[in-house]
Amino acid sequence: TMAVSRAYIFENCRDPYGKLMTDLKFECVADGIKPLIGTEGNLGASYDELGCGRWVKVMERREPVYGIISDFPHMERVFFQSMDILSMACFPIFVKGKWWGFIGFDDCSILREWEHVDLDILSTAADIIGSAISREHTDQALLESQLELRLARDHAEQLYKMVPTPIYTVDLNKKIMSWSHLAEELTGYRSGEIIGEDLSFVCNRTCREPCCLEVPDQDIVVSKECYVKTKSGEMIDVLKNMRSIRDIEGNVVGQIITFEDIREHKKLESELVREKQDAIDESETKSRFLANISHEIRTPMNGILGMSEILAKTDLSVTQHKYVYNIVNSTKSLLDVINDTLDYSKIEAGGVEL
């Protein structure tokens, strides 16, 4: 297992003059370890001020900074040794293709030589967090890592404490290997009840197979809408995000999966669809009414116009001809308005054919 003294996430920001800064957003420390929060000079400081100017170019290339502090450049060594750090590993977090910040792990107890499996797990953690921040950029911006099964259980539990969404891991046999506390809260299943169970324990079969088979060998995050079954039997709409877990040789050994409750989103979506259909139905009803009433009015108006034109051809006085002329013109004008209304109503009701 792998235990660290301190885990943290820093986010990049800019000062009023556009200078790149880094700011501590989340932190988890072991007993007896001094937290970074409150440490003078590490919050809201530029990379250059911290003596870590080289980190910018390294992390922009998507490369980690890790090793024993005594091997670091002089300015970095002085700064980190002042916080009793013996070794560290920091991995860049990218959000929508841009370098967002980094996740880091310190060891203040031993001169840790970071193994390939540790680096692979922590690099995957940075990728998963970047994906989560991209999806929830206006809500919550944190997602923890993917861990190698069995070999890093303690490390997984530590990371789980920082993840704002439910998260679990499965092996290649689709057996649940870890289950976070937020997964417990959402589903009602305690980790002791579900670890070792088949994935179908919380996913119905139509969801279980695709969720496992759709994650390719490539190191990418796959997202899909799905369902999770709670202890009470309720099927909850969720958005799942999945990625493969690899061992030290690069072989896929399982998956790490996060899921977000989207019931409110689905409810709002259904309401919007229903409201849109109601509006369409109301518009069609109005159009049909206008079409019918326009037709009913036009028929007698044609009768008035026809009789007025016949009357105009009879033996009338000058004054009577003037009156009939006014009737004919007014009737024609009103009939034009009615015809336009009828044509518009037919278009809205879908009654016009080309």
Side-chain angles (χ1 to χ4, degrees):
T1 60
M2 181 179 69
V4 295
S5 304
R6 182 187 295 115
Y8 45 83
I9 292 179
F10 276 81
E11 180 181 1
N12 293 334
C13 56
R14 298 279 179 178
D15 69 7
Y17 302 99
K19 190 174 185 179
L20 182 63
M21 312 282 283
T22 182
D23 189 24
L24 180 64
K25 307 305 294 184
F26 300 94
E27 180 182 25
C28 181
V29 298
D31 294 339
I33 300 299
K34 183 179 180 181
L36 295 177
I37 294 178
T39 301
E40 183 177 359
N42 75 324
L43 296 178
S46 71
Y47 286 90
D48 290 332
E49 291 170 345
L50 297 176
C52 301
R54 72 180 179 99
W55 287 34
V56 176
K57 290 185 178 180
V58 172
M59 291 197 172
E60 283 180 342
R61 294 196 303 265
R62 297 179 179 266
E63 298 176 4
V65 175
Y66 67 94
I68 297 174
I69 297 303
S70 59
D71 296 331
F72 279 36
H74 175 71
M75 292 186 65
E76 296 179 22
R77 185 168 64 249
V78 171
F79 178 69
F80 293 127
Q81 286 179 342
S82 70
M83 294 184 286
D84 300 322
I85 301 174
L86 298 180
S87 61
M88 70 188 319
C90 297
F91 295 80
I93 297 173
F94 277 78
V95 175
K96 297 181 179 179
K98 295 184 179 180
W99 179 38
W100 179 89
F102 64 90
I103 181 171
F105 302 87
D106 298 342
D107 201 318
C108 301
S109 302
I110 61 173
L111 296 173
R112 180 187 296 275
E113 292 283 354
W114 299 93
E115 299 179 0
H116 289 295
V117 65
D118 298 332
L119 298 176
D120 186 51
I121 291 172
L122 301 181
S123 177
T124 299
D127 292 342
I128 295 292
I129 290 172
S131 177
I133 294 172
S134 297
R135 290 192 312 273
E136 305 175 25
H137 209 261
T138 58
D139 300 318
Q140 295 177 323
L142 177 65
L143 177 62
E144 241 178 46
S145 81
Q146 170 185 9
L147 310 169
E148 183 164 8
L149 304 171
R150 299 181 185 274
L151 298 178
R153 286 285 299 276
D154 292 343
H155 178 61
E157 292 174 2
Q158 190 173 33
L159 287 177
Y160 284 173
K161 294 178 181 178
M162 297 191 298
V163 177
T165 56
I167 181 173
Y168 64 93
T169 56
V170 297
D171 64 15
L172 292 179
N173 295 319
K174 306 178 183 67
K175 301 293 184 182
I176 297 172
M177 302 304 298
S178 64
W179 192 254
S180 73
H181 67 285
L182 289 178
E184 293 179 338
E185 293 179 7
L186 182 60
T187 65
Y189 287 113
R190 310 299 296 177
S191 59
E193 297 177 287
I194 202 164
I195 290 179
E197 295 288 345
D198 188 86
L199 185 58
S200 60
F201 203 72
V202 289
C203 299
N204 59 25
R205 185 160 299 278
T206 58
C207 173
R208 172 184 179 270
E209 299 299 332
C211 282
C212 290
L213 298 177
E214 286 181 2
V215 179
D217 289 340
Q218 293 85 356
D219 290 328
I220 61 174
V221 175
V222 176
S223 299
K224 65 169 291 185
E225 290 188 9
C226 198
Y227 301 95
V228 166
K229 181 173 64 177
T230 68
K231 192 172 183 178
S232 65
E234 180 184 4
M235 299 301 292
I236 297 177
D237 291 291
V238 296
L239 176 64
K240 280 188 176 180
N241 305 284
M242 301 160 282
R243 180 171 177 169
S244 299
I245 300 175
R246 298 178 180 275
D247 61 16
I248 191 171
E249 297 178 352
N251 300 314
V252 176
V253 295
Q255 291 176 7
I256 184 167
I257 304 169
T258 66
F259 55 99
E260 306 166 42
D261 187 349
I262 58 171
R263 284 176 293 181
E264 287 300 319
H265 173 75
K266 299 293 285 186
K267 180 181 178 182
L268 177 60
E269 189 178 71
S270 297
E271 290 176 352
L272 290 175
V273 170
R274 184 174 61 253
E275 290 175 1
K276 179 181 178 181
Q277 187 59 49
D278 290 344
I280 292 174
D281 293 343
E282 182 179 348
S283 176
E284 290 178 350
T285 300
K286 178 198 69 176
S287 298
R288 285 193 297 269
F289 170 78
L290 288 175
N292 291 335
I293 197 67
S294 297
H295 177 74
E296 295 298 328
I297 294 175
R298 186 170 61 173
T299 299
M301 289 301 298
N302 282 326
I304 295 173
L305 178 61
M307 295 305 297
S308 299
E309 289 176 343
I310 293 173
L311 180 60
K313 296 178 181 180
T314 60
D315 187 15
L316 300 175
S317 66
V318 174
T319 300
Q320 288 173 329
H321 270 290
K322 180 179 179 181
Y323 292 158
V324 171
Y325 176 79
N326 288 336
I327 292 173
V328 170
N329 285 341
S330 297
T331 303
K332 287 182 178 180
S333 297
L334 182 57
L335 195 56
D336 288 341
V337 173
I338 294 172
N339 287 334
D340 290 342
T341 301
L342 178 59
D343 292 341
Y344 175 75
S345 301
K346 282 184 176 180
I347 292 173
E348 278 200 329
V352 173
E353 296 182 359
L354 300 178

